[in-house]
Amino acid sequence: MCGRFTLTASPEEVQALFGLLALESFPPRYNIAPTQPITIVVAGPPREPGSNLPDRQAVLVRWGLIPSWVKNPKDLPLLINARSETAAEKAAFRAAMRHRRALVPASGFYEWKRVGKTSTPYFIRPKGGGLVAFGGLMETYAEPGGSEIDTGAILTTAANADIAAIHDRMPVVIKPQDYARWLDCRTREPRDVADLMQPVEPGFFEAIPISDKVNKVANTGPDIQEPVSAERAQEPAARPAAERKAKKADAQLKLF
């Protein structure tokens, strides 16, 4: 699964990688948690013939997808992840997989290795640093009062050989050469992009043991990514709250 991630690249770096015409400024975020706002990239409206404008746009969504048919979101589990193997058939994700595939810019994600009662957090990032795009889904939910909220989820797949020792799942990684095909929901159905939802090749990510500071959503500084010694990494740590609904008190803004 992917229950926490980070985006510390500058808006200019994100704009350049994804070919965006414009992107509002945002600060580095070191501990993004469920229900918080996240930036995703979606296909823009069709371009006029001969136009050189980018056909992608950035959207701010709530991390936690709410299907359009839900009557009361409080009765729904927090859908921060979608299993890529079944998303095209599941009622909660089927429409988004067909019509609203997205890219989620990230600088890395966090995962916890469970051994007995001990959970060791790891910061997992592209080897050497840099930006990565997770496969994502978007859904717009209309509240009973008439207002609308954009929501999203991150697709996951089986862990590759590097990550499997930590957790059996990992985010789907979409490479730059595949952005256009992934986002093309007008002519490409889920079966046409199924080959992109595979574990990324070994060696793409590096896993760095860190302290349990990341477990608390209130800890949002760069210090949570500092490596710790092997001995320190084995110290007992509380399981993070990412697998439960996020708490109301939060250091970062929420959309819902």
Side-chain angles (χ1 to χ4, degrees):
M1 66 173 293
C2 176
R4 299 278 181 84
F5 72 101
T6 175
L7 178 58
T8 58
S10 69
E12 291 76 18
E13 290 172 311
V14 175
Q15 184 176 350
L17 178 62
F18 293 95
L20 301 170
L21 180 63
L23 183 63
E24 292 187 8
S25 180
F26 56 82
R29 299 180 65 192
Y30 293 91
N31 197 4
I32 302 173
T35 75
Q36 293 177 353
I38 62 173
T39 296
I40 67 170
V41 176
V42 297
R47 291 183 294 182
E48 295 293 331
S51 172
N52 292 321
L53 293 177
D55 58 352
R56 300 171 192 158
Q57 60 188 31
V59 181
L60 198 64
V61 305
R62 168 200 187 256
W63 187 17
L65 187 141
I66 305 176
S68 59
W69 45 262
V70 169
K71 294 183 178 180
N72 185 359
K74 294 182 180 179
D75 296 334
L76 186 77
L78 190 57
L79 302 177
I80 61 172
N81 293 153
R83 294 179 69 93
S84 59
E85 299 91 339
T86 57
E89 288 78 39
K90 292 288 186 180
F93 307 116
R94 185 166 53 232
M97 270 296 298
R98 177 62 185 87
H99 302 289
R100 290 172 291 279
R101 295 189 296 272
L103 298 168
V104 183
S107 300
F109 65 102
Y110 302 103
E111 196 52 83
W112 285 258
K113 180 179 181 179
R114 191 75 177 265
V115 179
K117 296 182 178 180
T118 300
S119 292
T120 302
Y122 284 82
F123 173 37
I124 302 173
R125 67 178 186 183
K127 187 166 289 186
L131 267 171
V132 64
F134 298 150
L137 302 174
M138 175 182 166
E139 191 70 85
T140 299
Y141 174 71
E143 298 180 274
S147 61
E148 293 185 339
I149 179 172
D150 293 326
T151 67
I154 294 173
L155 286 156
T156 66
T157 185
N160 65 14
D162 295 333
I163 308 301
I166 300 173
H167 198 276
D168 62 353
R169 305 290 295 178
M170 68 186 302
V172 167
V173 173
I174 306 295
K175 299 291 187 64
Q177 64 269 26
D178 297 316
Y179 289 174
R181 182 155 69 100
W182 174 256
L183 293 177
D184 180 10
C185 297
R186 299 187 184 95
T187 65
R188 299 182 188 274
E189 297 184 7
R191 65 173 178 266
D192 299 322
V193 295
D195 61 300
L196 301 181
M197 296 186 289
Q198 305 296 325
V200 72
E201 70 273 10
F204 183 89
F205 284 120
E206 59 182 344
I208 304 167
I210 56 176
S211 76
D212 61 359
K213 290 180 182 179
V214 69
N215 293 10
K216 294 184 179 179
V217 179
N219 293 334
T220 59
D223 57 307
I224 67 174
Q225 295 181 353
E226 293 178 358
V228 299
S229 65
E231 293 77 11
R232 174 78 181 280
Q234 298 303 316
E235 293 178 359
R239 189 69 176 174
E243 296 179 1
R244 306 188 302 269
K245 289 188 175 181
K247 298 178 181 179
K248 293 182 179 180
D250 219 274
Q252 301 179 56
L253 296 178
K254 296 181 180 179
L255 288 179
F256 191 78

